[in-house]
Amino acid sequence: MRIFNKAEECSGCSACQGVCPKEAIAMKPDERGFLYPVIDEEKCVDCGKCKSVCEFNDNYDKSSLLKNPKVYAVKHKDNSVRAKSRSGGMFAACADYILNSKNGVVYGCGFDESLDVVHMRIDSYEDIKSLQGSKYVQSDMGDCFKMAKEDLDDGKYVVFSGTPCQTAGFRSYIGDYIYKDNLIVCDLICHSIPTPKLYKDYRDFIENKYNSRIIRFDFRDKSCGWNSHMESYELENGEKIISKYYTELYHIGTAIRPSCSVCKFTNTKRPSDITLGDFWGIDKVVENFDDNRGVSSVMLNTQKGVDLFDKIKDDLYFEEVSLDQAMQPRLKSSTDMSTQMDRFWRDYQNHGFEYILKKYTGYGGYKTKIKRKILKRLGRW
């Protein structure tokens, strides 16, 4: 059994692993650190469920979508909630309602005890901080699909959040549950997904450099302002360091998952009830709404999404806008793969992380920048 033929045909959502009746599929990293399904041929019975559940195609289910989404600029009224959120705090408001008013559960992307990025389940609003904030790395889904389905089987209210490829896979995995009133699916306006290997090697590099363990990592530290893109990390020795080098490695597009360059969901027909993102350009759309603390772009794609927004809007400042006014690049097209990708990975494999950090970012100061200019002129970068 083959689920896909080329790496870019798999988003790594893990729906195929979850649906396999013989537990014949395991998600394992390739040489670049991306998780792909690997089939145990001795267990496989060729039932085809792994292929049929895959939604990473142009024909993913759009049957529950409104003709046109309702679109808002949103800020949570509680600034302490916004400070911990990636943008305006809309996700926290959704989670608050489901956890406290419906005694439900929330699934999303967070850090485990080792600071690896994983999908997790929370059942208390006190734990929402685990899911707030950006994580610029692909999360390990673990057993979250199965756990969420069990919660739905038990009649619990569930919010399931993730990148659009993850939510599309989840919706396909749970089948008709997508029409149930006790499920809300939220996706993100996703730029692309870097490999977990890059994130892990960066952490190891920092810990070795400072001879201290990282106890907290923030992919986008809003203490520097919402509009800035700076990561920060706190060390066990008490130091807090603000940097931009991981962000630079991410944005040059050399370490993103191959499927991101052919993403099926970079449009306004989203595989979710609600789409969340940063409302870049809000200052040109709603006067005096941006205070550099974060504004959410919110697309309500289904009637369930509209109904939930009506229940939580008293906690929010919001302005309805047109879809064109809220348009972002990743709602139009996929992220371009860097032309330097093959060279980047050869450098990575041959010379290690510190070498690519110095070559492909500003790390190392003035001499590094001069070296990059020379290499570019020689056609070697």
Side-chain angles (χ1 to χ4, degrees):
M1 174 66 68
R2 290 184 65 87
I3 306 175
F4 57 91
N5 296 312
K6 297 182 292 185
E8 58 264 33
E9 295 174 351
C10 174
S11 68
C13 77
S14 83
C16 54
Q17 178 191 40
V19 80
C20 179
K22 298 298 183 180
E23 298 185 347
I25 299 176
M27 301 298 293
K28 296 184 178 181
D30 69 357
E31 67 278 4
R32 297 181 178 181
F34 292 111
L35 293 175
Y36 286 93
V38 176
I39 299 176
D40 184 337
E41 298 294 346
E42 293 185 359
K43 294 181 179 179
C44 178
V45 293
D46 290 326
C47 66
K49 289 185 177 182
C50 54
K51 294 195 70 171
S52 63
V53 79
C54 181
E55 283 284 88
F56 194 70
N57 57 68
D58 294 326
N59 300 313
Y60 62 92
D61 183 21
K62 307 176 186 72
S63 59
S64 60
L65 300 182
L66 300 172
K67 184 177 180 181
N68 295 299
K70 293 180 72 67
V71 187
Y72 294 90
V74 170
K75 298 186 296 188
H76 202 290
K77 289 181 177 178
D78 187 336
N79 283 333
S80 67
V81 172
R82 254 205 307 163
K84 299 171 185 174
S85 301
R86 175 188 181 188
S87 46
M90 173 66 180
F91 175 71
C94 294
D96 187 4
Y97 176 77
I98 295 299
L99 291 166
N100 291 329
S101 297
K102 293 296 184 179
N103 195 31
V105 297
V106 175
Y107 288 84
C109 180
F111 295 101
D112 67 9
E113 292 180 355
S114 300
L115 292 183
D116 291 329
V117 175
V118 300
H119 248 66
M120 59 178 59
R121 174 189 189 271
I122 65 168
D123 57 11
S124 168
Y125 188 72
E126 285 67 38
D127 295 325
I128 188 63
K129 60 182 180 295
S130 301
L131 307 184
Q132 289 175 289
S134 302
K135 284 90 179 177
Y136 295 135
V137 64
Q138 185 168 28
S139 62
D140 188 335
M141 298 301 297
D143 291 328
C144 279
F145 281 13
K146 289 182 179 180
M147 293 164 60
K149 187 175 185 301
E150 290 172 359
D151 283 327
L152 292 167
D153 287 339
D154 291 340
K156 288 184 176 294
Y157 279 79
V158 173
V159 171
F160 192 95
S161 65
T163 60
C165 55
Q166 290 172 334
T167 61
F170 174 68
R171 282 163 53 98
S172 181
Y173 172 79
I174 60 171
D176 289 342
Y177 271 118
I178 63 171
Y179 304 108
K180 302 292 186 181
D181 290 337
N182 62 325
L183 172 65
I184 291 290
V185 178
C186 298
D187 73 15
L188 309 172
I189 301 175
C190 177
H191 178 75
S192 60
I193 305 171
T195 169
K197 174 180 172 59
L198 191 74
Y199 167 57
K200 183 181 184 304
D201 286 350
Y202 184 64
R203 281 171 24 219
D204 289 345
F205 172 77
I206 295 301
E207 291 182 342
N208 289 332
K209 178 180 179 179
Y210 292 98
N211 195 29
S212 184
R213 187 172 64 90
I214 297 175
I215 58 173
R216 184 177 178 275
F217 195 99
D218 192 337
F219 284 91
R220 203 169 99 202
D221 191 330
K222 283 176 71 175
S223 68
C224 304
W226 174 50
N227 291 306
S228 68
H229 288 257
M230 306 289 285
E231 73 261 11
S232 69
Y233 36 92
E234 295 179 19
L235 302 173
E236 201 168 37
N237 65 13
E239 287 188 80
K240 177 180 178 179
I241 299 166
I242 294 175
S243 170
K244 62 179 180 179
Y245 299 120
Y246 181 87
T247 303
E248 286 188 24
L249 284 173
Y250 169 38
H251 282 296
I252 59 177
T254 52
I256 65 173
R257 192 177 182 97
S259 59
C260 294
S261 66
V262 292
C263 181
K264 310 303 180 183
F265 313 109
T266 49
N267 55 58
T268 58
K269 299 296 182 182
R270 311 293 291 186
S272 63
D273 299 298
I274 301 173
T275 294
L276 305 175
D278 292 291
F279 202 132
W280 302 123
I282 182 60
D283 55 311
K284 300 176 182 178
V285 178
V286 183
E287 189 175 355
N288 299 323
F289 202 73
D290 181 14
D291 57 5
N292 201 23
R293 296 181 182 180
V295 179
S296 293
S297 173
V298 178
M299 295 169 55
L300 308 178
N301 306 311
T302 67
Q303 189 58 47
K304 285 198 296 180
V306 173
D307 292 343
L308 177 61
F309 188 80
D310 285 341
K311 291 180 174 68
I312 65 175
K313 63 184 181 182
D314 287 345
D315 294 330
L316 309 169
Y317 298 114
F318 60 91
E319 295 283 347
E320 187 168 6
V321 301
S322 71
L323 183 57
D324 286 342
Q325 288 175 314
M327 190 58 62
Q328 305 290 334
R330 296 292 76 83
L331 293 174
K332 295 179 180 179
S333 62
S334 302
T335 299
D336 291 333
M337 201 74 80
S338 171
T339 57
Q340 300 296 322
M341 177 168 285
D342 289 341
R343 180 173 291 149
F344 173 89
W345 282 107
R346 284 198 302 272
D347 287 339
Y348 206 153
Q349 291 159 1
N350 292 334
H351 303 292
F353 178 80
E354 186 171 354
Y355 180 89
I356 62 109
L357 183 66
K358 291 178 178 179
K359 181 175 178 179
Y360 294 90
T361 77
Y363 184 82
Y366 181 73
K367 290 183 179 179
T368 297
K369 293 177 182 178
I370 294 296
K371 179 181 178 182
R372 287 171 63 186
K373 288 181 180 179
I374 294 172
L375 289 172
K376 282 183 178 180
R377 288 175 183 172
L378 295 175
R380 292 167 52 196
W381 187 87

